[in-house]
Amino acid sequence: MSDYKKVKDYMTRNVISVKPDMTITEIKELIKQTGHDGFPVEDENGIVGIITASDILIRDLTPTVRGMMSDDIVIANEELSINDAARVMFRMGISRLPVTDENKKVLGIITNTDILRSHIERSTPEKVDQFRGTLEQLYGIKTNVDMKTVPINELKPTQDKVYADELQGRTYEIERGLAEPIISVQIDDHKYLVIDGHHRLVASYQMGNDEISAYVITLSEKIKLGVEKTAEKEGIYTIDDINIIADAQHPLIAITGSLREKNTTIKK
């Protein structure tokens, strides 16, 4: 499902490039000011290298960027698939990939954090089919699935927490029309149980959206699922019952911002 995702969908576009003749003192100050630990180096002909904090630490100090930068670099086209970008970065052992146009002018940069963001919490058709199969085996019922747009106020969550840093990634995708559908089970005429996609749901809710795209699984018999019973025992009935964890990182992504507040509960 993620094969159609391209580098241009996830790269950072507002990239600060530096010139080869800038001084290392200027670069150190730029690192302090921006918090970034690396910058593409461009001259009038396009990208010529990358300068990072590591270069400054491990190499013999020279007055200018030209003498300190790495000029043996890998660059990518913005049409490159996310999967191919991930393979290149893994094989080359690099954490960032400059993205350029045909003239080697820098358009953006994609990092390993962006790659992770593009792959987590995917509602693939295989995941939907697997869950349907589990339901049919456990309860001896038949199921059907449709893709629908569901009112957010008709969704009942089954997860008690989401991570603030992960919400940033989901918000990014929603703003660009990249978010995949959540997975839900219809339990009443106007009530749906959320099975997968709580970060997407919360992000949409915080953005003020009224609806969300969903795989909706319908059951041949009216059954109260165990996951719903568990959620109710934990006091989870509405989106407002989900805690946003801001002082701990999602297991699959590192915190990149200054997220140090205590756990909070969503307030719309």
Side-chain angles (χ1 to χ4, degrees):
M1 191 75 172
S2 60
D3 287 343
Y4 73 92
K5 305 292 186 185
K6 296 183 178 180
V7 162
K8 66 182 179 182
D9 298 323
Y10 287 90
M11 69 183 187
T12 298
R13 292 184 178 274
N14 297 323
V15 177
I16 300 173
S17 294
V18 299
K19 300 296 183 184
D21 58 356
M22 287 180 65
T23 67
I24 296 303
T25 299
E26 290 176 306
I27 298 301
K28 289 180 177 178
E29 187 60 31
L30 196 56
I31 290 173
K32 289 180 183 178
Q33 291 175 357
T34 64
H36 299 165
D37 64 352
F39 307 94
V41 184
E42 284 188 286
D43 63 14
E44 64 276 5
N45 296 315
I47 190 168
V48 292
I50 287 181
I51 181 76
T52 69
S54 296
D55 292 325
I56 297 172
L57 288 173
I58 66 176
R59 297 186 177 186
D60 293 333
L61 197 63
T62 62
T64 65
V65 167
R66 192 182 303 278
M68 297 289 291
M69 70 182 187
S70 299
D71 55 10
D72 185 14
I73 61 172
V74 181
I75 59 176
N77 183 283
E78 64 177 348
E79 296 296 327
L80 184 70
S81 77
I82 283 290
N83 284 350
D84 286 341
R87 292 187 187 101
V88 169
M89 293 170 72
F90 177 77
R91 290 171 185 165
M92 301 297 295
I94 55 179
S95 61
R96 57 175 65 81
L97 196 59
V99 184
T100 69
D101 62 15
E102 62 275 9
N103 297 316
K104 295 188 178 179
K105 295 292 184 182
V106 175
L107 301 175
I109 196 162
I110 189 159
T111 67
N112 48 15
T113 299
D114 298 321
I115 297 293
L116 284 173
R117 180 190 302 147
S118 74
H119 281 78
I120 49 184
E121 208 182 60
R122 291 291 171 223
S123 292
T124 63
E126 291 80 10
K127 186 186 290 188
V128 176
D129 289 341
Q130 184 179 31
F131 182 70
R132 288 179 61 193
T134 300
L135 287 177
E136 291 178 355
Q137 288 181 6
L138 282 177
Y139 298 98
I141 58 174
K142 297 296 183 181
T143 65
N144 189 41
V145 63
D146 292 300
M147 182 83 77
K148 296 181 181 179
T149 300
V150 178
I152 286 179
N153 63 7
E154 295 182 3
L155 289 163
K156 185 177 182 180
T158 59
Q159 184 171 304
D160 65 345
K161 63 178 176 289
V162 295
Y163 294 88
D165 57 333
E166 176 66 5
L167 286 178
Q168 291 180 319
R170 301 285 73 78
T171 299
Y172 180 96
E173 291 184 342
I174 293 167
E175 289 174 342
R176 289 158 179 77
L178 301 171
E180 297 190 14
I182 67 170
I183 301 175
S184 67
V185 173
Q186 187 162 5
I187 56 177
D188 210 337
D189 288 342
H190 299 287
K191 186 63 67 175
Y192 303 83
L193 198 64
V194 181
I195 302 301
D196 183 83
H198 286 80
H199 283 89
R200 274 162 279 165
L201 172 61
V202 172
S204 292
Y205 181 70
Q206 288 185 325
M207 294 169 71
N209 295 333
D210 296 322
E211 299 176 322
I212 190 168
S213 179
Y215 290 108
V216 177
I217 299 170
T218 53
L219 312 179
S220 60
E221 298 178 25
K222 188 174 178 60
I223 297 172
K224 189 155 190 173
L225 303 181
V227 66
E228 182 180 8
K229 295 177 182 178
T230 300
E232 290 181 354
K233 285 181 181 178
E234 295 176 355
I236 307 167
Y237 292 90
T238 70
I239 300 176
D240 292 308
D241 295 322
I242 301 175
N243 288 327
I244 300 178
I245 307 301
D247 60 351
Q249 66 190 47
H250 189 285
L252 295 181
I253 193 166
I255 292 178
T256 57
S258 180
L259 302 173
R260 295 292 180 266
E261 299 175 4
K262 295 296 182 181
N263 295 5
T264 56
T265 300
I266 303 170
K267 299 297 181 184
K268 190 174 181 182

